[in-house]
Amino acid sequence: GCAPPESATRTAGSPEWRKHLGQFEEGYFALNPTFAVQQGRHEYDGRLPDWSAAGLRAMVQWLHAQRTQVETFDQNSLNDDQRFERQYLLSRIDADLFWLEEAEQPFTNPAFYLGSGLDPSVYLTRPYASADTRLAAFIGYARAVPSAAAHIRANLRTPLPKSFIQYGVDGFGGFPDFYRKDVPKIFAEVKDPALQA
């Protein structure tokens, strides 16, 4: 048979790129389970990211390795959509690396944690599954909070700017009453006594 015209090859794009992009997404979801849940990947329900210093280092190393792999893809082997995806992915990786490495946000700003998964609202306000299923997911999340809080406390370097401290107090301060008072009301319809306990 004849080789397809060059324009057809370009339009088809690179199957290797599609495979790599899928592998990136799966790896990113595994390292950022709260983001995965927001995207509808409920096999990650109840998990929080590893915010330990070692976990954050692992995320940085993984992002650098991913950036290196993405750069190996020759843009001429990609179709227009894939070239856009490649540039977008590099931009997203660079943004994550900026906040993790340059700004050192996990160590300098409580907003990092409030914005990257500590909020359990997905289990409470998004009816993606039965109340029983969502309550079980919330319980997993709640059990992960003490360890996450210990990592957050260990990571944040003082002194912090007063405005950052106030933001942290305001952001974290409402959780105890919310857990005790509001969550039971939200899941009042659940009849399973073990889940209610």
Side-chain angles (χ1 to χ4, degrees):
C2 296
E6 187 178 341
S7 61
T9 304
R10 281 202 179 133
T11 304
S14 166
E16 292 80 16
W17 171 255
R18 281 192 288 278
K19 182 179 176 186
H20 176 77
L21 194 56
Q23 289 171 341
F24 176 89
E25 289 170 352
E26 293 307 314
Y28 196 85
F29 287 154
L31 290 168
N32 298 281
T34 52
F35 176 75
V37 171
Q38 290 289 340
Q39 305 310 307
R41 296 292 299 271
H42 294 291
E43 66 268 33
Y44 292 100
D45 276 358
R47 298 188 209 171
L48 286 172
D50 180 358
W51 286 323
S52 68
L56 293 169
R57 277 193 304 275
M59 167 61 94
V60 167
Q61 290 168 352
W62 184 83
L63 286 167
H64 277 294
Q66 290 300 310
R67 191 175 206 300
T68 299
Q69 287 182 351
V70 169
E71 287 180 323
T72 66
F73 282 90
D74 178 6
Q75 295 203 55
N76 292 328
S77 70
L78 306 176
N79 64 28
D80 288 344
D81 290 343
Q82 291 174 334
R83 280 191 288 279
F84 173 81
E85 290 168 350
R86 180 183 181 275
Q87 286 308 114
Y88 182 81
L89 184 54
L90 288 171
S91 174
R92 287 299 317 148
I93 290 170
D94 288 345
D96 283 1
L97 286 171
F98 170 80
W99 290 112
L100 289 166
E101 287 188 306
E102 300 296 319
E104 295 186 308
Q105 198 176 35
F107 306 102
T108 61
N109 193 337
F112 174 81
Y113 303 100
L114 292 167
S116 63
L118 202 57
D119 181 355
S121 65
V122 66
Y123 307 121
L124 311 174
T125 62
R126 191 184 294 177
Y128 67 86
S130 70
D132 294 55
T133 299
R134 291 183 294 115
L135 177 54
F138 174 82
I139 291 167
Y141 155 86
R143 288 182 175 148
V145 167
S147 175
H151 293 313
I152 293 167
R153 181 183 290 265
N155 289 342
L156 287 171
R157 296 184 207 127
T158 55
L160 291 172
K162 188 174 181 180
S163 60
F164 287 17
I165 293 170
Q166 190 59 53
Y167 183 79
V169 168
D170 292 344
F172 290 94
F175 280 138
D177 279 347
F178 178 73
Y179 294 151
R180 280 193 292 269
K181 296 176 184 173
D182 296 321
V183 171
K185 291 176 194 171
I186 291 168
F187 291 116
E189 68 184 270
V190 174
K191 304 301 181 213
D192 184 325
L195 290 175
Q196 285 294 346

